[in-house]
Short mmCIF file of all heavy atoms in Angstrom, two decimals:
data_model
loop_
_atom_site.label_atom_id
_atom_site.label_comp_id
_atom_site.label_asym_id
_atom_site.label_seq_id
_atom_site.Cartn_x
_atom_site.Cartn_y
_atom_site.Cartn_z
N MET M 290 119.11 97.94 68.19
CA MET M 290 119.00 99.22 68.89
C MET M 290 119.55 99.08 70.30
O MET M 290 119.31 98.10 70.97
CB MET M 290 117.52 99.63 68.94
CG MET M 290 117.33 101.05 69.48
SD MET M 290 115.59 101.42 69.74
CE MET M 290 115.13 101.95 68.09
N THR M 291 120.30 100.05 70.72
CA THR M 291 120.83 100.01 72.08
C THR M 291 120.09 101.02 72.95
O THR M 291 119.70 102.09 72.48
CB THR M 291 122.33 100.33 72.10
OG1 THR M 291 122.55 101.59 71.50
CG2 THR M 291 123.13 99.27 71.37
N TYR M 292 119.92 100.64 74.18
CA TYR M 292 119.27 101.51 75.13
C TYR M 292 120.29 101.99 76.14
O TYR M 292 121.14 101.22 76.58
CB TYR M 292 118.15 100.78 75.87
CG TYR M 292 117.01 100.43 74.96
CD1 TYR M 292 116.95 99.18 74.35
CD2 TYR M 292 116.00 101.36 74.71
CE1 TYR M 292 115.91 98.86 73.51
CE2 TYR M 292 114.96 101.04 73.86
CZ TYR M 292 114.91 99.78 73.26
OH TYR M 292 113.89 99.47 72.43
N GLN M 293 120.21 103.24 76.47
CA GLN M 293 121.09 103.78 77.49
C GLN M 293 120.30 103.99 78.75
O GLN M 293 119.40 104.81 78.80
CB GLN M 293 121.69 105.10 77.02
CG GLN M 293 122.78 104.90 76.00
CD GLN M 293 123.67 106.13 75.94
OE1 GLN M 293 123.22 107.21 75.63
NE2 GLN M 293 124.94 105.96 76.27
N LYS M 294 120.63 103.20 79.74
CA LYS M 294 119.88 103.30 80.98
C LYS M 294 120.75 103.82 82.11
O LYS M 294 121.92 103.53 82.20
CB LYS M 294 119.30 101.92 81.35
CG LYS M 294 118.31 101.47 80.31
CD LYS M 294 117.29 100.53 80.90
CE LYS M 294 116.20 100.25 79.87
NZ LYS M 294 115.15 99.39 80.40
N GLU M 295 120.10 104.59 82.94
CA GLU M 295 120.74 105.15 84.12
C GLU M 295 119.85 104.84 85.31
O GLU M 295 118.63 104.83 85.20
CB GLU M 295 120.85 106.68 83.99
CG GLU M 295 121.95 107.14 83.07
CD GLU M 295 123.33 106.98 83.70
OE1 GLU M 295 123.45 107.15 84.91
OE2 GLU M 295 124.27 106.68 82.94
N MET M 296 120.48 104.62 86.46
CA MET M 296 119.67 104.37 87.65
C MET M 296 119.19 105.67 88.28
O MET M 296 119.96 106.60 88.46
CB MET M 296 120.46 103.56 88.68
CG MET M 296 119.58 103.12 89.83
SD MET M 296 120.49 102.26 91.14
CE MET M 296 120.46 100.59 90.49
N ASP M 297 117.92 105.67 88.58
CA ASP M 297 117.34 106.72 89.41
C ASP M 297 117.89 106.49 90.81
O ASP M 297 117.59 105.49 91.45
CB ASP M 297 115.81 106.56 89.38
CG ASP M 297 115.09 107.56 90.26
OD1 ASP M 297 115.67 107.99 91.26
OD2 ASP M 297 113.94 107.86 89.95
N ARG M 298 118.74 107.38 91.27
CA ARG M 298 119.44 107.14 92.54
C ARG M 298 118.54 107.30 93.76
O ARG M 298 118.93 106.94 94.86
CB ARG M 298 120.64 108.08 92.66
CG ARG M 298 121.77 107.63 91.75
CD ARG M 298 122.88 108.65 91.72
NE ARG M 298 123.99 108.12 90.92
CZ ARG M 298 125.08 107.56 91.45
NH1 ARG M 298 125.23 107.49 92.73
NH2 ARG M 298 126.02 107.10 90.66
N VAL M 299 117.39 107.86 93.56
CA VAL M 299 116.49 108.04 94.69
C VAL M 299 115.68 106.77 94.95
O VAL M 299 115.63 106.27 96.06
CB VAL M 299 115.56 109.24 94.46
CG1 VAL M 299 114.54 109.37 95.58
CG2 VAL M 299 116.39 110.52 94.35
N CYS M 300 115.07 106.22 93.92
CA CYS M 300 114.20 105.06 94.13
C CYS M 300 114.79 103.77 93.56
O CYS M 300 114.28 102.69 93.83
CB CYS M 300 112.81 105.32 93.53
SG CYS M 300 112.80 105.32 91.74
N GLY M 301 115.87 103.85 92.79
CA GLY M 301 116.53 102.65 92.31
C GLY M 301 116.00 102.12 90.99
O GLY M 301 116.46 101.09 90.51
N MET M 302 115.04 102.79 90.40
CA MET M 302 114.50 102.37 89.12
C MET M 302 115.50 102.65 88.00
O MET M 302 116.26 103.61 88.06
CB MET M 302 113.24 103.20 88.82
CG MET M 302 112.01 102.40 88.59
SD MET M 302 110.60 103.52 88.38
CE MET M 302 110.63 103.71 86.61
N TRP M 303 115.49 101.80 86.97
CA TRP M 303 116.32 102.06 85.80
C TRP M 303 115.55 102.95 84.84
O TRP M 303 114.39 102.67 84.51
CB TRP M 303 116.74 100.76 85.12
CG TRP M 303 117.79 100.07 85.94
CD1 TRP M 303 117.57 99.08 86.86
CD2 TRP M 303 119.20 100.33 85.94
NE1 TRP M 303 118.77 98.73 87.43
CE2 TRP M 303 119.78 99.46 86.89
CE3 TRP M 303 120.02 101.22 85.22
CZ2 TRP M 303 121.15 99.45 87.14
CZ3 TRP M 303 121.38 101.21 85.48
CH2 TRP M 303 121.94 100.34 86.42
N ILE M 304 116.21 104.01 84.42
CA ILE M 304 115.57 105.03 83.59
C ILE M 304 116.16 105.00 82.19
O ILE M 304 117.38 104.97 82.03
CB ILE M 304 115.81 106.43 84.19
CG1 ILE M 304 115.38 106.48 85.66
CG2 ILE M 304 115.11 107.50 83.37
CD1 ILE M 304 113.94 106.21 85.92
N GLU M 305 115.30 105.00 81.21
CA GLU M 305 115.73 105.16 79.83
C GLU M 305 116.01 106.64 79.62
O GLU M 305 115.12 107.48 79.74
CB GLU M 305 114.62 104.67 78.90
CG GLU M 305 114.88 104.93 77.44
CD GLU M 305 116.14 104.26 76.93
OE1 GLU M 305 116.36 103.10 77.28
OE2 GLU M 305 116.88 104.91 76.18
N LYS M 306 117.29 106.94 79.34
CA LYS M 306 117.73 108.34 79.27
C LYS M 306 116.88 109.23 78.37
O LYS M 306 116.60 110.37 78.69
CB LYS M 306 119.17 108.41 78.76
CG LYS M 306 120.21 108.12 79.81
CD LYS M 306 121.58 108.30 79.19
CE LYS M 306 122.70 108.21 80.19
NZ LYS M 306 124.01 108.48 79.58
N SER M 307 116.51 108.69 77.22
CA SER M 307 115.85 109.54 76.23
C SER M 307 114.38 109.79 76.55
O SER M 307 113.74 110.61 75.91
CB SER M 307 115.98 108.91 74.84
OG SER M 307 115.41 107.62 74.85
N THR M 308 113.83 109.09 77.54
CA THR M 308 112.39 109.20 77.77
C THR M 308 112.02 110.01 79.00
O THR M 308 110.85 110.29 79.19
CB THR M 308 111.74 107.81 77.91
OG1 THR M 308 112.31 107.14 79.02
CG2 THR M 308 111.94 106.98 76.65
N THR M 309 112.99 110.36 79.83
CA THR M 309 112.60 111.09 81.04
C THR M 309 112.92 112.58 80.94
O THR M 309 114.00 112.94 80.50
CB THR M 309 113.27 110.50 82.30
OG1 THR M 309 112.81 111.24 83.44
CG2 THR M 309 114.79 110.56 82.23
N PRO M 310 111.97 113.42 81.31
CA PRO M 310 112.23 114.86 81.34
C PRO M 310 112.84 115.28 82.68
O PRO M 310 113.21 116.44 82.85
CB PRO M 310 110.84 115.46 81.19
CG PRO M 310 109.91 114.47 81.80
CD PRO M 310 110.56 113.10 81.60
N PHE M 311 112.98 114.33 83.61
CA PHE M 311 113.44 114.69 84.96
C PHE M 311 114.92 114.41 85.11
O PHE M 311 115.35 113.27 85.29
CB PHE M 311 112.64 113.90 86.01
CG PHE M 311 111.15 114.05 85.81
CD1 PHE M 311 110.40 112.98 85.36
CD2 PHE M 311 110.53 115.25 86.05
CE1 PHE M 311 109.04 113.11 85.15
CE2 PHE M 311 109.16 115.40 85.85
CZ PHE M 311 108.42 114.32 85.40
N THR M 312 115.71 115.47 85.00
CA THR M 312 117.16 115.33 85.11
C THR M 312 117.71 116.41 86.03
O THR M 312 117.10 117.47 86.21
CB THR M 312 117.85 115.47 83.75
OG1 THR M 312 117.63 116.78 83.23
CG2 THR M 312 117.35 114.43 82.75
N SER M 313 118.87 116.12 86.62
CA SER M 313 119.57 117.10 87.43
C SER M 313 121.05 117.09 87.08
O SER M 313 121.60 116.04 86.75
CB SER M 313 119.42 116.77 88.92
OG SER M 313 118.21 117.24 89.43
N GLN M 314 121.65 118.25 87.20
CA GLN M 314 123.09 118.37 87.00
C GLN M 314 123.75 118.44 88.37
O GLN M 314 123.29 119.19 89.23
CB GLN M 314 123.43 119.65 86.23
CG GLN M 314 122.79 119.76 84.86
CD GLN M 314 123.43 118.82 83.86
OE1 GLN M 314 124.63 118.60 83.90
NE2 GLN M 314 122.63 118.28 82.96
N TYR M 315 124.79 117.65 88.54
CA TYR M 315 125.52 117.72 89.81
C TYR M 315 126.98 117.40 89.54
O TYR M 315 127.29 116.33 89.00
CB TYR M 315 124.92 116.75 90.83
CG TYR M 315 125.55 116.87 92.20
CD1 TYR M 315 125.31 118.00 92.98
CD2 TYR M 315 126.36 115.86 92.70
CE1 TYR M 315 125.89 118.13 94.22
CE2 TYR M 315 126.95 115.98 93.95
CZ TYR M 315 126.71 117.11 94.71
OH TYR M 315 127.28 117.24 95.94
N HIS M 316 127.87 118.31 89.91
CA HIS M 316 129.31 118.14 89.67
C HIS M 316 129.60 117.76 88.21
O HIS M 316 130.42 116.90 87.93
CB HIS M 316 129.90 117.08 90.61
CG HIS M 316 130.07 117.59 92.02
ND1 HIS M 316 130.97 117.07 92.90
CD2 HIS M 316 129.44 118.57 92.70
CE1 HIS M 316 130.90 117.71 94.07
NE2 HIS M 316 129.97 118.62 93.96
N GLY M 317 128.88 118.39 87.30
CA GLY M 317 129.14 118.18 85.89
C GLY M 317 128.55 116.92 85.29
O GLY M 317 128.72 116.66 84.11
N GLU M 318 127.86 116.14 86.11
CA GLU M 318 127.23 114.92 85.61
C GLU M 318 125.72 115.14 85.55
O GLU M 318 125.17 115.93 86.30
CB GLU M 318 127.51 113.74 86.55
CG GLU M 318 128.98 113.40 86.71
CD GLU M 318 129.51 112.61 85.52
OE1 GLU M 318 128.69 111.96 84.83
OE2 GLU M 318 130.72 112.65 85.30
N THR M 319 125.10 114.40 84.64
CA THR M 319 123.65 114.46 84.57
C THR M 319 123.06 113.21 85.22
O THR M 319 123.52 112.10 84.97
CB THR M 319 123.19 114.53 83.11
OG1 THR M 319 123.83 115.66 82.49
CG2 THR M 319 121.68 114.72 83.01
N TYR M 320 122.06 113.41 86.05
CA TYR M 320 121.37 112.31 86.70
C TYR M 320 119.92 112.29 86.26
O TYR M 320 119.33 113.34 86.01
CB TYR M 320 121.50 112.43 88.22
CG TYR M 320 122.94 112.33 88.64
CD1 TYR M 320 123.71 113.48 88.83
CD2 TYR M 320 123.55 111.09 88.78
CE1 TYR M 320 125.05 113.38 89.17
CE2 TYR M 320 124.88 110.98 89.11
CZ TYR M 320 125.64 112.13 89.30
OH TYR M 320 126.96 112.03 89.61
N TYR M 321 119.39 111.08 86.17
CA TYR M 321 118.06 110.89 85.61
C TYR M 321 117.11 110.33 86.65
O TYR M 321 117.49 109.48 87.46
CB TYR M 321 118.15 109.93 84.42
CG TYR M 321 119.05 110.46 83.33
CD1 TYR M 321 120.43 110.32 83.41
CD2 TYR M 321 118.51 111.13 82.23
CE1 TYR M 321 121.26 110.83 82.42
CE2 TYR M 321 119.33 111.64 81.25
CZ TYR M 321 120.70 111.49 81.34
OH TYR M 321 121.52 112.00 80.38
N PHE M 322 115.87 110.78 86.59
CA PHE M 322 114.89 110.37 87.58
C PHE M 322 113.57 110.00 86.91
O PHE M 322 113.26 110.48 85.83
CB PHE M 322 114.67 111.50 88.59
CG PHE M 322 115.97 111.91 89.23
CD1 PHE M 322 116.68 112.99 88.73
CD2 PHE M 322 116.51 111.18 90.26
CE1 PHE M 322 117.91 113.34 89.27
CE2 PHE M 322 117.74 111.51 90.80
CZ PHE M 322 118.43 112.59 90.32
N CYS M 323 112.80 109.16 87.62
CA CYS M 323 111.55 108.67 87.06
C CYS M 323 110.43 109.67 87.23
O CYS M 323 109.44 109.62 86.51
CB CYS M 323 111.17 107.33 87.69
SG CYS M 323 110.74 107.45 89.44
N ALA M 324 110.58 110.57 88.21
CA ALA M 324 109.49 111.48 88.54
C ALA M 324 110.03 112.75 89.16
O ALA M 324 111.17 112.80 89.63
CB ALA M 324 108.52 110.81 89.51
N LYS M 325 109.18 113.76 89.16
CA LYS M 325 109.55 115.05 89.74
C LYS M 325 109.92 114.90 91.21
O LYS M 325 110.85 115.55 91.69
CB LYS M 325 108.36 116.02 89.60
CG LYS M 325 108.70 117.46 90.00
CD LYS M 325 107.70 118.46 89.46
CE LYS M 325 106.35 118.46 90.13
NZ LYS M 325 106.31 118.85 91.54
N GLU M 326 109.20 114.03 91.92
CA GLU M 326 109.46 113.84 93.35
C GLU M 326 110.88 113.33 93.59
O GLU M 326 111.55 113.73 94.52
CB GLU M 326 108.45 112.87 93.94
CG GLU M 326 107.05 113.45 94.12
CD GLU M 326 106.30 113.61 92.80
OE1 GLU M 326 106.70 113.00 91.79
OE2 GLU M 326 105.31 114.36 92.78
N CYS M 327 111.32 112.41 92.74
CA CYS M 327 112.67 111.86 92.89
C CYS M 327 113.72 112.93 92.60
O CYS M 327 114.72 113.05 93.30
CB CYS M 327 112.86 110.66 91.98
SG CYS M 327 111.99 109.19 92.54
N LYS M 328 113.49 113.70 91.56
CA LYS M 328 114.43 114.76 91.22
C LYS M 328 114.52 115.78 92.37
O LYS M 328 115.61 116.20 92.74
CB LYS M 328 113.97 115.47 89.93
CG LYS M 328 114.81 116.71 89.61
CD LYS M 328 114.28 117.41 88.38
CE LYS M 328 114.63 118.90 88.37
NZ LYS M 328 116.02 119.22 88.65
N GLU M 329 113.39 116.14 92.93
CA GLU M 329 113.38 117.12 94.01
C GLU M 329 114.11 116.59 95.24
O GLU M 329 114.84 117.32 95.91
CB GLU M 329 111.94 117.51 94.36
CG GLU M 329 111.35 118.42 93.29
CD GLU M 329 109.88 118.72 93.52
OE1 GLU M 329 109.26 118.07 94.40
OE2 GLU M 329 109.34 119.58 92.81
N GLN M 330 113.93 115.32 95.53
CA GLN M 330 114.63 114.74 96.67
C GLN M 330 116.14 114.76 96.45
O GLN M 330 116.90 115.04 97.36
CB GLN M 330 114.17 113.30 96.90
CG GLN M 330 112.86 113.21 97.64
CD GLN M 330 112.62 111.80 98.16
OE1 GLN M 330 113.41 111.25 98.90
NE2 GLN M 330 111.50 111.23 97.74
N PHE M 331 116.54 114.44 95.23
CA PHE M 331 117.97 114.47 94.91
C PHE M 331 118.51 115.89 95.02
O PHE M 331 119.58 116.11 95.61
CB PHE M 331 118.19 113.92 93.50
CG PHE M 331 119.64 113.92 93.08
CD1 PHE M 331 120.47 112.85 93.42
CD2 PHE M 331 120.17 114.95 92.33
CE1 PHE M 331 121.81 112.84 93.03
CE2 PHE M 331 121.51 114.96 91.94
CZ PHE M 331 122.32 113.89 92.30
N ASP M 332 117.78 116.84 94.49
CA ASP M 332 118.23 118.23 94.51
C ASP M 332 118.39 118.76 95.93
O ASP M 332 119.25 119.59 96.20
CB ASP M 332 117.23 119.11 93.76
CG ASP M 332 117.30 118.90 92.25
OD1 ASP M 332 118.29 118.32 91.79
OD2 ASP M 332 116.36 119.32 91.56
N GLN M 333 117.57 118.26 96.84
CA GLN M 333 117.64 118.73 98.22
C GLN M 333 118.84 118.16 98.96
O GLN M 333 119.33 118.78 99.90
CB GLN M 333 116.34 118.35 98.97
CG GLN M 333 115.19 119.27 98.62
CD GLN M 333 113.85 118.70 99.10
OE1 GLN M 333 113.81 117.87 99.99
NE2 GLN M 333 112.77 119.15 98.49
N ASN M 334 119.29 116.99 98.57
CA ASN M 334 120.38 116.35 99.31
C ASN M 334 121.21 115.45 98.39
O ASN M 334 121.27 114.24 98.59
CB ASN M 334 119.79 115.54 100.47
CG ASN M 334 120.83 115.22 101.52
OD1 ASN M 334 122.01 115.54 101.36
ND2 ASN M 334 120.41 114.57 102.59
N PRO M 335 121.84 116.06 97.40
CA PRO M 335 122.57 115.25 96.41
C PRO M 335 123.69 114.40 97.01
O PRO M 335 123.88 113.27 96.57
CB PRO M 335 123.12 116.28 95.42
CG PRO M 335 122.96 117.61 96.06
CD PRO M 335 121.88 117.49 97.07
N GLU M 336 124.37 114.91 98.01
CA GLU M 336 125.48 114.14 98.59
C GLU M 336 125.00 112.80 99.14
O GLU M 336 125.67 111.78 99.02
CB GLU M 336 126.16 114.94 99.72
CG GLU M 336 126.97 116.13 99.24
CD GLU M 336 128.24 115.71 98.50
OE1 GLU M 336 128.61 114.53 98.58
OE2 GLU M 336 128.84 116.57 97.84
N TYR M 337 123.84 112.83 99.74
CA TYR M 337 123.25 111.62 100.31
C TYR M 337 123.01 110.57 99.22
O TYR M 337 123.36 109.40 99.38
CB TYR M 337 121.94 112.00 101.00
CG TYR M 337 121.18 110.84 101.58
CD1 TYR M 337 121.57 110.26 102.78
CD2 TYR M 337 120.04 110.35 100.93
CE1 TYR M 337 120.86 109.21 103.31
CE2 TYR M 337 119.33 109.29 101.47
CZ TYR M 337 119.73 108.72 102.66
OH TYR M 337 119.03 107.67 103.18
N TYR M 338 122.47 111.00 98.12
CA TYR M 338 122.13 110.05 97.06
C TYR M 338 123.33 109.66 96.22
O TYR M 338 123.31 108.61 95.57
CB TYR M 338 121.00 110.62 96.20
CG TYR M 338 119.71 110.69 96.97
CD1 TYR M 338 119.18 111.91 97.37
CD2 TYR M 338 119.04 109.53 97.33
CE1 TYR M 338 118.01 111.98 98.13
CE2 TYR M 338 117.88 109.58 98.08
CZ TYR M 338 117.36 110.80 98.47
OH TYR M 338 116.22 110.85 99.22
N MET M 339 124.38 110.48 96.25
CA MET M 339 125.59 110.13 95.52
C MET M 339 126.26 108.89 96.08
O MET M 339 126.98 108.19 95.40
CB MET M 339 126.61 111.29 95.59
CG MET M 339 126.26 112.48 94.74
SD MET M 339 126.05 112.06 93.02
CE MET M 339 127.72 111.54 92.62
N LYS M 340 126.01 108.61 97.33
CA LYS M 340 126.66 107.46 97.97
C LYS M 340 126.14 106.13 97.44
O LYS M 340 126.76 105.11 97.63
CB LYS M 340 126.44 107.52 99.48
CG LYS M 340 127.20 108.65 100.15
CD LYS M 340 126.81 108.74 101.61
CE LYS M 340 127.44 109.98 102.25
NZ LYS M 340 126.74 110.31 103.51
N GLY M 341 124.97 106.15 96.85
CA GLY M 341 124.39 104.90 96.40
C GLY M 341 123.71 104.19 97.55
O GLY M 341 123.77 104.62 98.69
N PHE M 342 123.08 103.11 97.24
CA PHE M 342 122.27 102.42 98.23
C PHE M 342 123.13 101.80 99.33
O PHE M 342 122.76 101.76 100.48
CB PHE M 342 121.41 101.34 97.56
CG PHE M 342 120.36 101.93 96.68
CD1 PHE M 342 120.55 101.99 95.31
CD2 PHE M 342 119.21 102.46 97.22
CE1 PHE M 342 119.59 102.55 94.49
CE2 PHE M 342 118.24 103.02 96.42
CZ PHE M 342 118.43 103.07 95.05
N GLU M 343 124.31 101.33 98.98
CA GLU M 343 125.15 100.64 99.95
C GLU M 343 125.65 101.57 101.03
O GLU M 343 125.83 101.18 102.17
CB GLU M 343 126.36 99.98 99.25
CG GLU M 343 125.99 98.93 98.22
CD GLU M 343 125.58 99.53 96.89
OE1 GLU M 343 125.77 100.75 96.71
OE2 GLU M 343 125.07 98.80 96.04
N GLY M 344 125.92 102.83 100.65
CA GLY M 344 126.53 103.75 101.60
C GLY M 344 125.54 104.43 102.53
O GLY M 344 125.94 105.18 103.39
N ARG M 345 124.27 104.16 102.34
CA ARG M 345 123.28 104.84 103.16
C ARG M 345 123.08 104.18 104.50
O ARG M 345 123.14 102.97 104.62
CB ARG M 345 121.93 104.88 102.43
CG ARG M 345 121.97 105.79 101.24
CD ARG M 345 120.59 105.90 100.66
NE ARG M 345 120.68 106.27 99.26
CZ ARG M 345 119.66 106.21 98.43
NH1 ARG M 345 118.49 105.78 98.85
NH2 ARG M 345 119.80 106.56 97.17
N LYS M 346 122.78 105.02 105.46
CA LYS M 346 122.45 104.47 106.76
C LYS M 346 121.01 104.03 106.76
O LYS M 346 120.17 104.68 106.13
CB LYS M 346 122.67 105.54 107.83
CG LYS M 346 124.13 105.84 108.03
CD LYS M 346 124.33 107.02 108.95
CE LYS M 346 125.82 107.35 109.03
NZ LYS M 346 126.07 108.71 109.48
N PRO M 347 120.72 102.96 107.47
CA PRO M 347 119.34 102.46 107.50
C PRO M 347 118.40 103.40 108.26
O PRO M 347 118.87 104.20 109.05
CB PRO M 347 119.44 101.13 108.23
CG PRO M 347 120.75 101.11 108.92
CD PRO M 347 121.66 102.09 108.19
ZN1 LIG D 133 112.39 107.48 91.01
#
């Protein structure tokens, strides 16, 4: 069996795609989150989270 995992871009957790109800659409892509709070944070500022952890200012 193969698992499809996506990173929760807000908190960095790996998410099993089929098990999370928390998803967002952005620029035609689907993003997955571990919790409603993470999804809401992404929705408020998607550009910030699109940069990934490396591109963020401390
Ligand atoms: Zn999360």
Side-chain angles (χ1 to χ4, degrees):
M290 188 188 275
T291 57
Y292 293 94
Q293 284 201 299
K294 296 207 172 183
E295 283 286 325
M296 188 184 274
D297 177 332
R298 286 172 175 260
V299 175
C300 71
M302 237 176 92
W303 286 96
I304 307 299
E305 173 61 43
K306 280 183 173 184
S307 58
T308 61
T309 182
F311 308 109
T312 64
S313 277
Q314 301 287 325
Y315 186 70
H316 285 205
E318 300 281 337
T319 304
Y320 297 95
Y321 300 82
F322 304 95
C323 67
K325 188 162 73 65
E326 287 74 16
C327 286
K328 173 183 154 48
E329 286 174 350
Q330 280 195 57
F331 180 85
D332 287 344
Q333 283 167 21
N334 198 356
E336 289 290 346
Y337 177 77
Y338 292 109
M339 286 304 295
K340 291 174 187 162
F342 292 100
E343 298 80 10
R345 290 186 205 168
K346 290 172 185 160

